[in-house]
Amino acid sequence: MKHTLEEKRNIVRQIKRGRPLSSLCKALHLDRHMVRNWLLRYEKYGDQGLRIRTPKYHFNTQEKERIIWEHTKKRIPLQELSLRYDVDRSTIKSW
């Protein structure tokens, strides 16, 4: 399900005002990873981070291996890597 920019803003505002992410996600039937990503993208890019993403970049094998290495060896969380490289967590997991 796609969410409008205004819906995302509203959800992020509620979290920023102190509403727990988990209770908000439960009440609205939203995936907490998706909402956390909205929050992180908002904190990093502002409103632009909540807008539709730019066309996907295609990672080559070496880039994928580097990201996997960062996750497995350096123990960088998928959420952080997702934000850093602008790639979905599920994509990283599938690699």
Side-chain angles (χ1 to χ4, degrees):
M1 176 178 182
K2 300 245 180 189
H3 299 276
T4 67
L5 175 61
E6 194 52 43
E7 288 173 323
K8 293 175 186 178
R9 272 190 199 134
N10 182 38
I11 291 166
V12 167
R13 280 187 201 126
Q14 289 184 56
I15 296 167
K16 299 289 266 177
R17 288 183 188 137
R19 183 160 181 194
L21 186 140
S22 57
S23 69
L24 181 63
C25 290
K26 187 174 183 178
L28 299 175
H29 307 286
L30 296 171
D31 178 77
R32 67 182 174 86
H33 295 293
M34 176 182 68
V35 174
R36 179 144 171 74
N37 193 44
W38 293 347
L39 179 62
L40 293 172
R41 290 181 61 80
Y42 179 81
E43 289 174 346
K44 185 171 183 179
Y45 302 112
D47 270 355
Q48 192 63 29
L50 299 177
R51 296 185 192 284
I52 296 172
R53 294 168 118 167
T54 56
K56 299 290 183 195
Y57 173 78
H58 295 284
F59 292 89
N60 65 37
T61 303
Q62 287 179 318
E63 292 168 324
K64 290 177 184 179
E65 288 173 351
R66 171 68 184 180
I67 293 169
I68 293 167
W69 178 82
E70 287 184 40
H71 178 61
T72 58
K73 301 299 183 195
K74 292 179 79 178
R75 301 213 181 267
I76 297 174
L78 287 175
Q79 196 71 40
E80 184 177 330
L81 293 170
S82 173
L83 183 62
R84 182 183 299 170
Y85 295 105
D86 198 22
V87 60
D88 291 331
R89 302 173 60 256
S90 59
T91 301
I92 297 172
K93 288 171 87 171
S94 73
W95 293 342

